[in-house]
Every structure is written in structure tokens, then in C-alpha cells.
């Protein structure tokens, strides 16, 4: 299934007009640069006027890029992408890329057989026309929202038409009085003159504020020039303690070199001492094991000699009827001692 998915992806990308050839070896190891390039190409193929930044140099930029692409596809194309698999940039990312490519490939197939015979000039014209159509679509959406709001206001006003109709009819039927109209016009003229006066005062205040700001800017420029001159003077003057500082710095460098050499020697000697202790410990354990084996072997030899000595004593007692128990015991002890001396010599 993975091979079939990958083959479908490569065929769809080739049919969509991707300029590079994509092989299966490109996704054997994580290849984030190729995945980001394909994603950006697909997004721009879907909407040429997108403003997603192509920076993927740092880890933070890559995370922002993946989030922006996933959010764009979710809001514009209603396609949910797995950001973790896209960030892996391996074979798992191909399945997520296939969602976008299959959508674009299906949209391309709906145009009919004539789509296959379009040359490069026609494709460029198609892209240009698509951008203009998208701009028209945005304008249409804005007009639709305005129409909706205007329709709601018109509905509210039409609901008040029953009450307003009577007032309008009454006002039209009433005779026009010149004095009252003149009074209303004078009031309107006075309001307009007051607004003009306020506007002039505001313009005068703006001019005064502009003059104050220019004076402050000039003052700041003079202070900046003085500060720059003082900085240049301070940079050109050599401090009095600079010679002593350089001498102390040289001495510190020498002391640091000596410290490094002594520290390396001390570390080397400690390592030699640890190796020596380890060798002594191994020799001691080996000697203890040899001593333990020797003791075990001596005990076995002693046990064997004791058994052979007891057998010899029983034979002597059977053959010699005239012997006392003390003499038999003495002979047994002498034989045992002789056997022990022989074993020790061996």
C-alpha cells in the first residue's frame, strides 16, 4: 500500500506539472527541504496570491511553516493535515501530501479532456485568469456581506414605515411657514460655522504642534552630535590603567597554561594509580583463588590418606592376633604423619 500510495503521488505531481522528478529514494530519510518545497508549490498552485513565508532554516521557522500550511489548507480547502507526519518529512509525509495532490488532480480532471492539450502559454494565462477570478471572488464576498447588512437595515426601516407614513403625510399637508424655515436655516448655518471654527482651531493647533516637534527634533540632533563627538574623544583616549591591565592579562595567560599542564599531569597520574590499584586487586584475588584451590586439594588428599590408613590397620589386626591396641594406634599415627610429610613435600 505504501508503494502504491507513493506511485500515485508521483504520477499526480507529474500530471499537475511539478518541475522536478520525485523518486522513492527522496523519502527514505527525512527530507524536510523537499517536503517544504512541495507544500509551498501546492499551496501556490491552489492560491497564487498566498503570503506564506518559505523560510525553513531554523526549527522554529519549520514549525511556523507547517502550522501555516495546515491552517491554510484547513480554512481554504477544508483538508485536515497531520502536522506531526509532515514535520517527519519521510514516507509518512507522502500520505498527507497525497491529500492535497488528489484534490488538485481531481479538480484538474473535471475540466475535461481539453486540459491535457493546453500548452505552457495557456497554462500561464490560466494562472493569471485564476488570480483575477480570486480577486473578483473576494470582491463578491464583500459585496454579499454589504448586501446582507443593507437588507437587514431596509427590513427594519420598512417595519417603521407604517408609523412614519402618517407623520410624513401630516408634514406634507401642513403649510410651510417662512419664519420657521428661516429660523431652522439660521440654526443650521450657526452649527456649520461653529464646526468650521473648531476645524480652524484644530488646524492652528496642528501647526503649533508641528513647530514644537521640529524644535525638539533640532534639539535632539544637536545633543546627538555632541554625544557622538564625546564618544569619539573617549575612544581615542587610552586609559591610564591599560598598560597594567595588559601585563596582568599576560601573566594570567601564563598561569592558566601552567594550570592546564599541571591538571593534565595530575589526571594522568591519578589514572596510573587507579590502574595500579586495579592490577594489585586482580593479583590479590588470583592469589586468594589459588590458595583456596590448594587448601581444597590438600583436604581431599588428607581425606584419601586417612581412608587408606584405616584400611591398612584393619588388615594388620586380622593377620596379627597378638598385638595390643596401643601398638596399632602408634603405627596408624606414624603412617599418617609419613603420608602428610610426603604430601607436603610434593
Amino acid at each position: 500500500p505504501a508503494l502504491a500510495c507513493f506511485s500515485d503521488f508521483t504520477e499526480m505531481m507529474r500530471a499537475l506539472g511539478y518541475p522536478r522528478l520525485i523518486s522513492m529514494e527522496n523519502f527514505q530519510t527525512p527530507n524536510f527541504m523537499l517536503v517544504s518545497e512541495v507544500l509551498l508549490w501546492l499551496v501556490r498552485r491552489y492560491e497564487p496570491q498566498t503570503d506564506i513565508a518559505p523560510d525553513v532554516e531554523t526549527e522554529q521557522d519549520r514549525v511556523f511553516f507547517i502550522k501555516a500550511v495546515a491552517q491554510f489548507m484547513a480554512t481554504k480547502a477544508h483538508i485536515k493535515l497531520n502536522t506531526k507526519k509532515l514535520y517527519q518529512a519521510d514516507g509518512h509525509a507522502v500520505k498527507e501530501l497525497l491529500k492535497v495532490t488528489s484534490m488538485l488532480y481531481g479538480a484538474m480532471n473535471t475540466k475535461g479532456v481539453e486540459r491535457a492539450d493546453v500548452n505552457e502559454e495557456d497554462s500561464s494565462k490560466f494562472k493569471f485568469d485564476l488570480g483575477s477570478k480570486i480577486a473578483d471572488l473576494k470582491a463578491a464576498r464583500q459585496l454579499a456581506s454589504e448586501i446582507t447588512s443593507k437588507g437587514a437595515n431596509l427590513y427594519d426601516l420598512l417595519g417603521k414605515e407604517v408609523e412614519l407614513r402618517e407623520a410624513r403625510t401630516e408634514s406634507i399637508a401642513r403649510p410651510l411657514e417662512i419664519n420657521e424655515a428661516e429660523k431652522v436655516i439660521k440654526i443650521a448655518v450657526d452649527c456649520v460655522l461653529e464646526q468650521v471654527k473648531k476645524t480652524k482651531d484644530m488646524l492652528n493647533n496642528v501647526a503649533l504642534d508641528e513647530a514644537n516637534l521640529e524644535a525638539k527634533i533640532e534639539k535632539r540632533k544637536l545633543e546627538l552630535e555632541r554625544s557622538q563627538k564625546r564618544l569619539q574623544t573617549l575612544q581615542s583616549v587610552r586609559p591610564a590603567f591599560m598598560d597594567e591591565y595588559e601585563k596582568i592579562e599576560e601573566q594570567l595567560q601564563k598561569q592558566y597554561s601552567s594550570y592546564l599542564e599541571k591538571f593534565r599531569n595530575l589526571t594522568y597520574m591519578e589514572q596510573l594509580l587507579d590502574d595500579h590499584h586495579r592490577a594489585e586487586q586482580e593479583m590479590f584475588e588470583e592469589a586468594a583463588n589459588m590458595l583456596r584451590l590448594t587448601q581444597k586439594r590438600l583436604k581431599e588428599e588428607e581425606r584419601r590418606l586417612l581412608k587408606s590408613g584405616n584400611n591398612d590397620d584393619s588388615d594388620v589386626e586380622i593377620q596379627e592376633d597378638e598385638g595390643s591396641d596401643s601398638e596399632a594406634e602408634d603405627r596408624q599415627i606414624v603412617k599418617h604423619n609419613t603420608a602428610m610429610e610426603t604430601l607436603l613435600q610434593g
Side-chain angles (χ1 to χ4, degrees):
L3 293 174
C5 176
F6 187 83
S7 62
D8 294 337
F9 174 70
T10 54
E11 291 296 328
M12 288 180 183
M13 290 296 290
R14 190 180 297 111
L16 290 172
Y18 187 69
R20 290 179 54 186
L21 294 177
I22 302 175
S23 62
M24 189 174 183
E25 286 76 14
N26 296 131
F27 295 95
Q28 292 294 333
T29 58
N31 192 353
F32 192 86
M33 299 303 295
L34 179 59
V35 172
S36 63
E37 183 181 353
V38 172
L39 281 174
L40 189 61
W41 186 83
L42 291 173
V43 169
R44 289 179 177 175
R45 183 66 185 271
Y46 185 83
E47 185 174 350
Q49 297 180 353
T50 183
D51 56 351
I52 296 177
D55 297 332
V56 291
E57 295 296 332
T58 62
E59 181 180 358
Q60 195 71 17
D61 293 337
R62 294 181 178 183
V63 173
F64 286 154
F65 176 80
I66 293 296
K67 287 184 178 180
V69 171
Q71 186 176 4
F72 174 83
M73 298 309 298
T75 55
K76 299 294 183 180
H78 302 286
I79 297 175
K80 185 177 180 181
L81 299 177
N82 193 338
T83 56
K84 292 183 179 179
K85 292 183 179 180
L86 287 176
Y87 191 81
Q88 290 177 3
D90 52 4
H92 297 284
V94 177
K95 296 181 179 180
E96 302 300 321
L97 295 174
L98 187 61
K99 296 178 182 178
V100 185
T101 53
S102 60
M103 183 268 296
L104 293 174
Y105 185 76
M108 184 183 69
N109 289 334
T110 55
K111 295 296 181 180
V113 183
E114 297 177 357
R115 178 69 179 176
D117 298 332
V118 177
N119 54 14
E120 295 181 355
E121 294 180 358
D122 294 336
S123 64
S124 62
K125 291 180 181 179
F126 173 75
K127 292 179 181 178
F128 179 77
D129 294 336
L130 181 62
S132 62
K133 293 296 182 182
I134 291 174
D136 296 340
L137 180 61
K138 290 181 179 179
R141 288 179 179 175
Q142 185 177 0
L143 291 175
S145 62
E146 292 180 359
I147 290 171
T148 304
S149 61
K150 297 293 184 182
N153 294 330
L154 181 61
Y155 179 79
D156 295 335
L157 293 175
L158 290 175
K160 299 177 182 178
E161 176 64 18
V162 178
E163 299 176 359
L164 295 176
R165 184 183 303 165
E166 296 177 359
R168 185 172 61 252
T169 304
E170 184 179 356
S171 298
I172 292 172
R174 188 174 58 185
L176 182 63
E177 295 181 0
I178 303 299
N179 295 328
E180 186 177 357
E182 185 178 0
K183 187 185 296 183
V184 171
I185 291 173
K186 286 182 178 179
I187 293 172
V189 170
D190 293 336
C191 293
V192 172
L193 292 175
E194 187 177 358
Q195 290 180 358
V196 170
K197 185 178 179 181
K198 288 181 180 180
T199 306
K200 288 182 178 179
D201 293 337
M202 291 175 65
L203 289 174
N204 294 329
N205 293 330
V206 167
L208 182 61
D209 294 339
E210 185 178 359
N212 293 330
L213 289 175
E214 288 179 355
K216 289 181 179 180
I217 290 171
E218 292 295 333
K219 185 178 179 180
R220 295 294 182 183
K221 286 182 178 179
L222 294 175
E223 291 179 357
L224 178 61
E225 290 178 358
R226 287 197 297 268
S227 299
Q228 289 179 350
K229 291 180 180 179
R230 182 174 177 79
L231 177 61
Q232 292 177 359
T233 304
L234 292 175
Q235 288 178 350
S236 61
V237 175
R238 182 180 175 84
F241 57 86
M242 199 64 188
D243 297 333
E244 184 180 0
Y245 173 77
E246 291 177 355
K247 291 180 181 179
I248 294 174
E249 189 176 6
E250 291 178 359
Q251 294 178 2
L252 179 62
Q253 189 67 28
K254 293 179 181 178
Q255 293 293 332
Y256 182 69
S257 301
S258 176
Y259 165 74
L260 287 179
E261 184 178 358
K262 291 181 180 179
F263 182 77
R264 286 196 297 268
N265 294 334
L266 178 62
T267 306
Y268 178 69
M269 296 300 292
E270 288 179 352
Q271 184 178 359
L272 290 178
L273 183 60
D274 292 337
D275 294 339
H276 180 68
H277 288 332
R278 194 180 299 107
E280 286 186 350
Q281 184 68 22
E282 291 177 356
M283 291 174 63
F284 177 74
E285 291 177 357
E286 187 177 356
N289 292 330
M290 292 295 295
L291 181 61
R292 194 180 299 109
L293 292 174
T294 305
Q295 291 177 354
K296 185 176 180 181
R297 189 168 61 250
L298 289 174
K299 287 181 181 179
E300 291 177 355
E301 291 292 335
E302 183 180 359
R303 192 179 297 109
R304 187 174 58 79
L305 290 173
L306 287 174
K307 288 181 179 180
S308 62
N310 291 330
N311 292 331
D312 293 340
D313 292 340
S314 61
D315 294 337
V316 170
E317 287 177 358
I318 293 171
Q319 292 174 3
E320 297 179 359
D321 295 333
E322 297 177 356
S324 63
D325 295 336
S326 62
E327 291 177 356
E329 290 177 359
D330 292 337
R331 286 195 299 272
Q332 184 178 359
I333 291 170
V334 170
K335 289 181 180 180
H336 182 268
N337 291 333
T338 305
M340 287 298 293
E341 290 177 357
T342 305
L343 181 60
L344 290 172
Q345 290 176 0

